[in-house]
Amino acid sequence: MVEKVITLENISLIDFLGIENQNIKQLAAAFPSSKIISRGNEIKIQGKTPEITKINEILSSLIEHYHKFGKITHTNVDKYISPDLDAPDEIPHPTAQDVLLYGSKGGVIKAKSPNQQRLVDAVDKNDLVFALGPAGTGKTYISVALAVRALKNKEVKKIIISRPVVEAGENLGFLPGDMKDKVDPYLRPIYDALEDMIPVEKLKYYYENKIIEIAPLAYMRGRTLNNAFVLLDEAQNTTPMQIKMFLTRMGPNSKVMINGDRSQIDLPTKQKSGLIEAIHILRDVKGIVMVELKPEDVVRHRLVREIIEAYTKAEESALSSNGNQREKDYRPRNSYRTAESANTGE
């Protein structure tokens, strides 16, 4: 019996090994005649030479994948164990520089899934990009990272980030403080992302000099946004008039991103979502690209993905049983210009 030890260096063990070492257990199950043991940052393989060679190749590929995307999922493990498996394409093929930027504490910020990488590529090649997908897929974080990168590279002179202020079961009027105190909680995810990416003193300077602006969507009316990276987050909670107003603010030398999750619309029941309408109206406009992130792109706890999938199944079942086709025509599947079709001319 031959033994080989692989040391994991500069790797988050929980992101590589999985919860309770599930990724390694999955790999071990595929090679029952060998023994794979994970202890600390070492993986020990015991078995016959041919299998050890194969396992070592798979682990090397998984390590390479981790360094490109920052995480290993069970789908990644399946794909590398059985390359011919009919599964989503999880093997990285990034075309842009892997690292978007280094965070305020020196950490590497980069795409963590193939669809996140497609989003990065789409923004590099287009001036207006929609990022669509469920909670936890990194839409906001990657978008803020792209904005900060553009500012640091002097591609733009300022960053403007906005969200619609929509009550999601809470009453804005009863929150304490002035208007800024009332709306800041809605913008907290933006502040958190920026604090991860820019040192505190530098960020304070950017705020004070309006190089970075964060404001509710209503504050965008009447402006022309030039030489800026402009991000509209939580766009599913805009009305059709609001998103039209925002889209027409776009000025010369600007990049615009619009993020939204069609499954979390907090508007009144009879109010149509501006995001849903915009997807339908703009799907064939050249130069506008829509990138779909999916549950497998979730970078939060593994249960988040399973929760999203369970809710999606329940909602689809309810729609089917009730004959409700309210949003069927607006669901952007093959009817709009995706990042891939825009780049291939389809």
Side-chain angles (χ1 to χ4, degrees):
M1 182 175 286
V2 180
E3 180 177 293
K4 181 175 179 61
V5 177
I6 297 173
T7 302
L8 303 176
E9 298 180 351
N10 301 317
I11 287 176
S12 165
L13 298 182
I14 188 67
D15 288 330
F16 185 84
L17 303 174
I19 304 294
E20 297 180 350
N21 292 350
Q22 285 300 319
N23 293 336
I24 295 302
K25 290 177 182 176
Q26 186 179 348
L27 180 59
F31 297 93
S33 60
S34 296
K35 192 172 184 179
I36 306 175
I37 304 169
S38 172
R39 287 181 182 168
N41 69 333
E42 290 187 346
I43 299 175
K44 184 183 294 184
I45 313 167
Q46 296 175 338
K48 295 182 180 179
T49 301
E51 273 208 354
I52 285 186
T53 301
K54 179 63 175 175
I55 294 168
N56 183 59
E57 289 174 355
I58 293 170
L59 283 170
S60 296
S61 296
L62 288 169
I63 290 170
E64 181 184 355
H65 185 107
Y66 171 86
H67 283 303
K68 289 187 179 297
F69 295 111
K71 188 174 182 178
I72 298 297
T73 69
H74 70 92
T75 308
N76 302 143
V77 179
D78 278 343
K79 187 69 177 180
Y80 286 107
I81 290 172
S82 304
D84 297 329
L85 187 68
D86 185 16
D89 182 12
E90 293 284 338
I91 299 176
H93 296 289
T95 58
Q97 184 179 1
D98 292 338
V99 177
L100 296 178
L101 67 153
Y102 292 92
S104 56
K105 296 180 181 178
V108 172
I109 297 173
K110 58 186 177 181
K112 290 189 175 182
S113 74
N115 283 329
Q116 285 190 4
Q117 185 62 50
R118 291 184 184 107
L119 178 59
V120 171
D121 295 341
V123 173
D124 286 342
K125 296 173 183 176
N126 300 275
D127 289 336
L128 177 54
V129 175
F130 285 76
L132 310 168
T137 50
K139 300 184 301 296
T140 299
Y141 199 81
I142 287 293
S143 301
V144 173
L146 289 167
V148 173
R149 183 187 67 171
L151 184 64
K152 286 187 173 182
N153 291 344
K154 302 187 185 302
E155 296 167 11
V156 297
K157 293 183 178 179
K158 56 189 173 182
I159 295 172
I160 300 170
I161 304 176
S162 185
R163 274 186 167 192
V165 175
V166 176
E167 296 169 7
E170 301 84 8
N171 194 315
L172 185 63
F174 287 98
L175 291 175
D178 59 18
M179 181 54 69
K180 184 178 186 302
D181 294 328
K182 290 176 187 288
V183 301
D184 270 2
Y186 291 85
L187 303 170
R188 190 69 249 172
I190 305 295
Y191 290 114
D192 289 343
L194 286 167
E195 287 166 10
D196 277 354
M197 300 172 194
I198 303 173
V200 175
E201 288 303 315
K202 189 73 170 177
L203 188 55
K204 183 180 178 182
Y205 170 82
Y206 284 153
Y207 288 151
E208 290 175 349
N209 290 274
K210 298 193 180 299
I211 295 171
I212 296 180
E213 294 182 53
I214 305 172
L217 179 59
Y219 287 38
M220 297 296 106
R221 188 172 297 279
R223 300 183 62 181
T224 300
L225 308 176
N226 301 330
N227 300 304
F229 194 111
V230 189
L231 168 62
L232 175 60
D233 204 35
E234 298 289 340
Q236 74 275 4
N237 289 326
T238 60
T239 66
M241 288 302 295
Q242 285 176 326
I243 200 164
K244 180 182 177 184
M245 177 273 290
F246 177 82
L247 287 166
T248 54
R249 301 306 93 200
M250 188 175 181
N253 303 315
S254 289
K255 288 266 188 185
V256 175
M257 286 193 69
I258 297 176
N259 297 344
D261 175 2
R262 290 160 295 170
S263 68
Q264 291 192 348
I265 297 174
D266 298 317
L267 294 167
T269 304
K270 294 183 179 180
Q271 175 65 65
K272 184 184 293 184
S273 167
L275 175 67
I276 302 298
E277 183 176 271
I279 290 169
H280 180 66
I281 292 172
L282 303 175
R283 60 189 178 187
D284 296 322
V285 177
K286 188 176 181 180
I288 297 178
V289 174
M290 303 181 189
V291 178
E292 187 88 24
L293 291 100
K294 300 177 181 178
E296 55 263 31
D297 298 303
V298 168
V299 292
R300 295 177 186 168
H301 193 286
R302 65 175 180 84
L303 285 176
V304 174
R305 178 177 60 203
E306 296 179 20
I307 289 167
I308 290 168
E309 290 174 344
Y311 269 93
T312 300
K313 288 179 182 177
E315 288 163 2
E316 289 176 350
S317 177
L319 283 172
S320 177
S321 61
N322 294 332
N324 186 349
Q325 301 297 316
R326 179 183 176 186
E327 294 184 3
K328 181 178 179 182
D329 293 337
Y330 295 110
R331 290 185 180 274
R333 299 186 187 277
N334 298 322
S335 60
Y336 60 79
R337 291 173 59 80
T338 63
E340 292 87 347
S341 65
N343 294 333
T344 58
E346 293 180 0

